[in-house]
Amino acid sequence: MSLLRRLFGPGQPDPREALRPLYQQVVAHARQPHWYLQGGVPDSIDGRFEMVSALLALTLIRLESDPSQAAAMAFLTEIFVDDMDAQLREFGVGDMVVGKRVGRLMGAFGGRLGAYREALADGTDNGMLAAAIRRNLYADANPAAEQIDHVVAGLRGLSAQLALCDASTLVAGGCKW
């Protein structure tokens, strides 16, 4: 739809572009080596998708607390979808199946968002968050307890930092987290 808007629209700027700095922050945090080294998250395509999903989920959960950010949440999610589409195409997935794969990825992301939302709702119960992390980030791997603890602490810490940041500043990519 955005292609048609750009081709035939009145020349309005794409409102998603304002969210690109925030999305780039999410991806940069997901690429930090400590998740993969100390946290033991598989350094693979799936592992990296899971880390981006986890950090995007934290960001969206933070933005949910401010109803005025509904459009920003939608635009941020659209950027994620576009990025996943582009990544699949870069890996050589053909046009005929890209839509189905993106659909499955978004379904998976929705499940993860719900799991992280529920696990983070109780700020003191690390058991639910550890279970969500084990199920989503590690797939078939068998991480050590210290690795799970590292990721739990990292996600809780980032969630706390995001909570301290004003939603408008966060959306503009102006929060240091």
Side-chain angles (χ1 to χ4, degrees):
M1 191 63 164
S2 64
L3 175 62
L4 293 175
R5 190 179 313 128
R6 281 184 279 160
L7 289 175
F8 302 111
Q12 298 295 326
D14 186 347
R16 296 179 302 173
E17 288 307 309
L19 279 291
R20 198 150 311 270
L22 176 57
Y23 185 72
Q24 289 169 344
Q25 284 181 331
V26 168
V27 171
H29 281 286
R31 289 182 176 166
Q32 290 179 348
H34 72 92
W35 301 117
Y36 308 95
L37 298 174
Q38 290 88 355
V41 174
D43 192 3
S44 63
I45 293 168
D46 290 340
R48 288 178 180 257
F49 167 78
E50 293 298 346
M51 279 311 307
V52 171
S53 294
L55 296 181
L56 181 61
L58 293 181
T59 305
L60 292 174
I61 290 165
R62 165 59 187 97
L63 293 175
E64 286 174 346
S65 67
D66 186 340
S68 71
Q69 297 301 330
M73 291 172 56
F75 293 146
L76 191 59
T77 304
E78 287 179 14
I79 292 170
F80 176 63
V81 170
D82 287 349
D83 187 29
M84 293 304 103
D85 181 279
Q87 295 299 322
L88 287 171
R89 290 176 191 280
E90 188 173 309
F91 293 135
V93 175
D95 287 342
M96 298 298 287
V97 290
V98 166
K100 288 180 183 179
R101 291 237 179 128
V102 169
R104 280 191 298 237
L105 289 174
M106 291 314 298
F109 175 70
R112 281 143 178 81
L113 177 60
Y116 292 129
R117 181 186 299 118
E118 185 178 342
L120 290 167
D122 178 4
T124 60
D125 179 16
N126 284 340
M128 281 183 68
L129 184 55
I133 287 168
R134 182 179 299 277
R135 186 174 56 251
N136 295 314
L137 291 181
Y138 295 101
D140 296 330
N142 191 17
E146 312 78 57
Q147 293 173 315
I148 297 256
D149 291 345
H150 177 82
V151 176
V152 166
L155 293 182
R156 284 238 185 252
L158 286 173
S159 180
Q161 286 180 290
L162 289 169
L164 295 174
C165 186
D166 174 70
S168 297
T169 305
L170 176 62
V171 164
C175 294
K176 301 299 177 209
W177 52 294

